[in-house]
Amino acid sequence: MKKSIWVSLMIVMISSIVLSACGSSGNNTNAGNAGSAATNGEASDTADAKPVNLGFFAPQGKAPLEDNDYTKYIEQKFNVKIKWDLAPTDALVDRRQLLLASGDYPEVFLEGKFTNSDLMTYGKQGVLVPLNELIDKYAPNLKAMMDKKPYLKEAMTAPDGNIYGIPRFNECYHCTFSQKYWMNKEWLDKVGLAVPKTTDELYNVLKAFKTKDPNGNGKADEIPMTGAPNKYVWNGNVDSFLMNAFIYNDNDKYLTVTDGKIDFAANKPEWKEGLAYMHKLYSEGLIDKASFTQNDQAVGQLGNREGDEVVGSITTALLSYLVDTYDDKKTRSKHWVIVPPLKGPNGVQLAGMSQGFGEFAMAITNKASEAQQIAAIKIADYAFSEEGALFSEYGVKEGTGWKKANADEMNIDGKPAKYSFANLAPVDPNVVRNDSWSLLGPKDLSKDFRDLFATAQDPLTGAGYEKRLADATSAYAPYAPKESYPSSAFVRPEDTDTMAQLATSIKDYVQSNMAQFIIGDKNLDKDWDSYVKGFDGLNLPQYIQIYQSAIEKK
């Protein structure tokens, strides 16, 4: 298995998305010609009705989607015939844009990689149809999910009040609070200290790791804390965890929210205090110098090296970046524990969080007749039912991608499970599975759905690693900020290009200066005011205002 469960799950799922070569869309009847649908056999509840022809745009995979078991199942269930227009994943957006520019686009975009601004732009142009009424009438499962998870409905609704796309709703166990910190409990025991609860206690722990030879080899080779840039290791940058003991750090936009009012974190005095703390750790050799440059392979080699263990702690969402958590014959990972959010000198104790909102996985175009729109929304809604989510993600046949759980199988919370992945029929590794859509299309991957599945109950085993991550996430949940900026907020189309430039320049500026302050290339006493002044030239007020308008849907 891969060293990152999240990466490995994504690879497995994506590899099972089964697709074929590009083709043209199906029926291009305009929505205004709904009356002609019946003559095309597109809308009827009778057993002998002709199927509704429906064009789907989607990414191309390793097996033909028209032969996919789930495709065949929904075609029969909803009396449709899907014609696939496929594009390579790395050219998906370019192909989508060409279709839209030519006017020869299909009735449905499935995985069109539409951003919020894209949806607003094409919705305003009338290319994408509003889905509000269709959801009200024909999507009871999705509607129930929107009622149950109000932030989902908020995230789906554009500033004009319309819904133009349906997302894949994904609440993975370890994603909500992924700015984590892990520590070597064996070393803690050797130096006679407990898991730290404050920034002062952490300093004492790291100092002991450096000076008291916890690996017992008589060498000063211990690395008290390591990390890596976020682009290599998920939330591996040391500030993603440490700064939250001083001021909220979302590790992306650097925004805070108080009573609905947006502000910027990375120019505040509390941010300076956090930088001073990290500089202290770095200057005393407690933070690995490689933390600002090394990639995931280097981190794995450091943690899994033969001989004496040299790492005492790491900032990362997934412990599996550092040590092998899957091979039960390797025991090094078993003595690592999660460190909950630390309390800073001013009582700040926060956990960086994100919501489970995935990409907009489906949009319906104005080429769809009324019957085609109804068929498409019903297909999407089915994947928000328990059965539909199960079949769509794991296959329609029990025993291959899933099975009913035994009475003694428990879920992530130790409660009786309904489904299981254990003891499934063996699959030929040389044959590409073609029985589900896996990570294709909108569907329910909420925590409620995930809780239906069994998992190993020992979190220190390879099979129980997902439970270990879930347990670690639970330790962070009590420290969620009262408000945080929703990643799914709609930035106005007219602001998209401006925001792309502002966000890149501001993020680069924050991160480059942060590294310089921590390392000591810049002096906080002498250079802080100049750093703060530098945001004036980056149009920080406009950056904040655009995001403010986005959450206010103005």
Side-chain angles (χ1 to χ4, degrees):
M1 297 182 70
K2 303 287 183 182
K3 84 191 128 159
S4 160
I5 189 169
W6 181 81
V7 173
S8 62
L9 281 174
M10 289 294 293
I11 291 173
V12 171
M13 291 175 177
I14 291 172
S15 67
S16 65
I17 297 175
V18 285
L19 313 160
S20 66
C22 293
S24 61
S25 64
N27 192 317
N28 284 336
T29 307
N30 189 277
N33 297 326
S36 65
T39 63
N40 292 331
E42 292 180 354
S44 175
D45 292 329
T46 61
D48 59 351
K50 293 182 179 179
V52 175
N53 294 310
L54 202 55
F56 271 29
F57 174 85
Q60 184 175 352
K62 296 181 179 180
L65 260 177
E66 61 267 22
D67 294 334
N68 181 272
D69 290 346
Y70 184 69
T71 298
K72 293 178 179 178
Y73 181 82
I74 62 170
E75 283 182 330
Q76 181 179 15
K77 182 176 182 66
F78 296 103
N79 194 28
V80 299
K81 181 62 180 176
I82 299 174
K83 189 169 186 180
W84 297 95
D85 185 347
L86 307 173
T89 301
D90 58 358
L92 198 69
V93 174
D94 290 340
R95 170 68 175 161
R96 183 203 75 193
Q97 292 300 94
L98 286 173
L99 288 173
L100 290 169
S102 70
D104 185 21
Y105 45 84
E107 291 81 25
V108 177
F109 280 97
L110 196 66
E111 304 297 337
K113 289 196 175 298
F114 287 102
T115 65
N116 295 20
S117 295
D118 290 334
L119 293 179
M120 291 173 63
T121 296
Y122 292 113
K124 185 176 181 180
Q125 293 175 1
V127 173
L128 301 182
V129 301
L131 306 176
N132 307 51
E133 187 174 345
L134 287 167
I135 292 172
D136 283 341
K137 290 183 177 180
Y138 305 107
N141 299 304
L142 176 56
K143 189 175 180 181
M145 180 67 73
M146 292 163 65
D147 291 339
K148 185 176 183 179
K149 309 275 187 176
Y151 82 84
L152 174 62
K153 182 178 181 180
E154 177 72 13
M156 292 172 61
T157 306
D160 64 3
N162 287 323
I163 295 173
Y164 295 108
I166 304 175
R168 183 167 46 256
F169 186 52
N170 187 8
E171 292 181 320
C172 86
Y173 287 121
H174 54 276
C175 301
T176 309
F177 298 97
S178 58
Q179 293 169 231
K180 296 185 176 73
Y181 182 43
W182 304 82
M183 186 166 282
N184 188 329
K185 183 64 164 58
E186 189 174 84
W187 281 19
L188 282 172
D189 294 340
K190 289 284 183 65
V191 299
L193 294 173
V195 174
K197 296 180 180 179
T198 68
T199 51
D200 286 343
E201 289 180 5
L202 175 62
Y203 171 79
N204 292 333
V205 165
L206 297 181
K207 197 74 173 177
F209 283 177
K210 182 174 177 63
T211 61
K212 294 187 176 182
D213 191 28
N215 66 8
N217 65 3
K219 303 176 183 177
D221 57 354
E222 286 85 358
I223 299 172
M225 173 189 283
T226 194
N230 191 30
K231 65 180 179 179
Y232 298 127
V233 171
W234 186 16
N235 289 328
N237 48 306
V238 294
D239 64 285
S240 68
F241 173 80
L242 292 176
M243 188 61 79
N244 279 296
F246 298 87
I247 188 173
Y248 184 64
N249 176 17
D250 63 15
N251 205 30
D252 182 26
K253 298 178 176 67
Y254 304 111
L255 297 176
T256 61
V257 186
T258 304
D259 296 329
K261 182 70 174 178
I262 304 300
D263 203 353
F264 191 67
N267 61 352
K268 298 293 185 292
E270 296 88 347
W271 192 271
K272 181 181 179 181
E273 292 176 24
L275 292 177
Y277 176 77
M278 286 182 272
H279 172 64
K280 177 183 178 181
L281 298 184
Y282 184 88
S283 65
E284 297 187 24
L286 307 183
I287 294 178
D288 187 4
K289 292 181 179 180
S291 296
F292 300 94
T293 56
Q294 65 185 344
N295 60 19
D296 55 337
Q297 287 86 3
V299 169
Q301 290 170 4
L302 192 65
N304 292 304
R305 59 178 288 179
E306 294 184 4
D308 299 316
E309 196 167 8
V310 296
V311 178
S313 64
I314 184 172
T315 50
T316 175
L318 302 169
L319 180 61
S320 49
Y321 278 111
L322 179 71
V323 288
D324 191 333
T325 57
Y326 300 105
D327 188 346
D328 290 332
K329 294 179 181 179
K330 298 178 180 179
T331 61
R332 182 169 289 179
S333 71
K334 296 183 185 300
H335 58 249
W336 281 76
V337 296
I338 194 69
V339 180
L342 301 173
K343 181 178 289 188
N346 297 315
V348 176
Q349 191 174 18
L350 296 168
M353 69 170 294
S354 61
Q355 294 175 328
F357 189 85
E359 293 181 344
F360 284 99
M362 176 185 278
I364 301 175
T365 76
N366 58 0
K367 295 296 182 74
S369 68
E370 181 181 3
Q372 290 171 319
Q373 291 179 25
I374 293 171
I377 205 72
K378 285 184 175 181
I379 290 172
D381 183 66
Y382 178 61
F384 281 89
S385 69
E386 180 182 318
E387 179 186 84
L390 179 69
F391 289 0
S392 173
E393 188 68 5
Y394 300 114
V396 300
K397 185 179 179 181
E398 181 179 359
T400 302
W402 60 275
K403 71 178 184 65
K404 292 179 181 177
N406 297 329
D408 61 346
E409 290 187 282
M410 302 294 136
N411 73 358
I412 205 86
D413 296 321
K415 299 176 181 178
K418 189 171 184 179
Y419 305 110
S420 173
F421 301 123
N423 301 317
L424 297 174
V427 177
D428 187 342
N430 298 315
V431 176
V432 177
R433 279 182 56 183
N434 201 14
D435 58 343
S436 75
W437 280 7
S438 192
L439 280 183
L440 177 69
K443 69 188 68 179
D444 173 17
L445 294 177
S446 65
K447 184 180 184 304
D448 292 339
F449 176 71
R450 293 174 180 274
D451 283 348
L452 298 173
F453 292 85
T455 187
Q457 295 300 292
D458 185 349
L460 298 184
T461 62
Y465 180 51
E466 184 76 2
K467 179 171 175 56
R468 188 176 191 177
L469 294 173
D471 292 346
T473 298
S474 297
Y476 278 59
Y479 304 101
K482 293 181 180 179
E483 298 176 84
S484 62
Y485 193 84
S487 60
S488 56
F490 280 79
V491 172
R492 296 176 301 188
E494 60 267 29
D495 291 332
T496 302
D497 291 341
T498 299
M499 179 50 74
Q501 296 173 2
L502 291 176
T504 299
S505 59
I506 288 174
K507 189 171 185 176
D508 288 347
Y509 184 73
V510 170
Q511 292 179 348
S512 63
N513 277 275
M514 184 183 324
Q516 291 177 77
F517 281 128
I518 294 173
I519 292 171
D521 290 347
K522 283 191 174 182
N523 185 288
L524 278 166
D525 293 330
K526 296 179 179 179
D527 299 320
W528 174 258
D529 290 342
S530 176
Y531 161 73
V532 172
K533 182 67 175 176
F535 285 107
D536 293 343
L538 298 175
N539 294 318
L540 180 61
Q542 185 180 17
Y543 175 85
I544 295 172
Q545 185 54 53
I546 289 175
Y547 279 129
Q548 184 72 50
S549 298
I551 64 169
E552 292 176 355
K553 295 186 179 291
K554 290 183 177 179

